[in-house]
Amino acid sequence: MILDSKMSLREKYRKQVIPAMKEKFGYRNDLAAPKIEKVVINTGVGGTIKDEKALEEITKSLTLIAGQKLTSRRAKKAISAFKIREGMVVGLAVTLRGKRMYDFLERLVSIALPRGRDFRGLSQKSIDKSGNLTIGIKEQIIFPEVSAESAKNIFGFEICVKTTAKTKEEGLELLRLLGFPIKL
């Protein structure tokens, strides 16, 4: 389901999703209905630890996709088998909330996911027992912000959508009503 171009995801949540959730689950007020709390995007930089240019390109691409500066995740202890020293950058992450979160989710649902190769919908197994969705993206080039021609390194990352739902059924219904392409 593609989002209506006139209605943002936040408006859709307020005008359509909350009433539908109240009707289905019997919530007494709007604040009892589950909502999306935050979106966390993260990636590991495994093979590019020593290559500063590749790390810089990954940072630039993810910053364009998220619309917000990333934070680096550093190794807590040295692991000689992986040639990692304490304090080395081993991952990048960003947490989106509010307007940036809704803007990112709109682009994810309506543009990026349908552009993925052989995409037939998100599996229900991607939703945990607390109603949170975790998606693995294999290539960053499915986002229109990143040009496939200029991308030297193709990398994958993870998107975790944290909801305030109490059960898997509530989270599934919330995401489905918001327009996430979840398979039956």
Side-chain angles (χ1 to χ4, degrees):
M1 178 176 140
I2 304 285
L3 294 173
D4 182 18
S5 61
K6 293 179 179 31
M7 188 182 298
S8 72
L9 194 62
R10 182 177 264 174
E11 288 175 32
K12 181 177 183 175
Y13 173 74
R14 288 187 186 136
K15 293 179 181 173
Q16 295 174 2
V17 175
I18 291 176
M21 293 290 285
K22 282 172 66 174
E23 184 180 319
K24 181 167 182 172
F25 293 103
Y27 301 123
R28 293 194 175 181
N29 67 34
D30 292 356
L31 296 176
K35 65 178 186 255
I36 296 178
E37 191 176 311
K38 65 183 176 179
V39 173
V40 179
I41 305 168
N42 65 57
T43 185
V45 293
T48 60
I49 288 178
K50 300 234 188 304
D51 188 4
E52 284 294 320
K53 286 187 178 179
L55 184 63
E56 196 174 298
E57 185 184 340
I58 292 171
T59 305
K60 183 181 171 192
S61 294
L62 270 180
T63 302
L64 282 172
I65 290 168
Q68 186 172 309
K69 189 177 177 190
L70 284 89
T71 57
S72 57
R73 303 293 186 219
R74 300 190 175 272
K76 293 179 182 169
K77 60 183 182 178
I79 303 171
S80 62
F82 297 117
K83 298 179 183 172
I84 295 175
R85 291 187 299 278
E86 187 176 339
M88 287 179 81
V89 175
V90 292
L92 300 166
V94 63
T95 301
L96 303 173
R97 299 176 196 269
K99 183 175 177 357
R100 283 192 180 139
M101 173 186 73
Y102 282 110
D103 290 344
F104 172 78
L105 288 175
E106 277 185 48
R107 285 183 286 124
L108 176 71
V109 171
S110 62
I111 299 170
L113 288 177
R115 285 179 68 175
R117 200 174 328 162
D118 297 332
F119 182 72
R120 289 180 176 76
L122 300 170
S123 171
Q124 288 186 17
K125 293 178 184 175
S126 300
I127 299 173
D128 66 9
K129 64 181 179 183
S130 301
N132 304 316
L133 173 69
T134 304
I135 308 167
I137 304 292
K138 292 181 183 171
E139 299 175 333
Q140 86 277 20
I141 56 175
I142 65 169
F143 282 88
E145 294 87 3
V146 180
S147 122
E149 292 81 30
S150 67
K152 292 179 186 77
N153 295 330
I154 304 294
F155 64 92
F157 56 95
E158 178 187 67
I159 300 169
C160 186
V161 180
K162 170 85 171 83
T163 66
T164 59
K166 304 272 189 285
T167 64
K168 182 174 182 167
E169 292 74 34
E170 288 178 354
L172 183 64
E173 188 64 23
L174 169 68
L175 295 168
R176 208 176 257 142
L177 288 170
L178 282 171
F180 281 78
I182 298 173
K183 290 188 276 188
L184 295 173

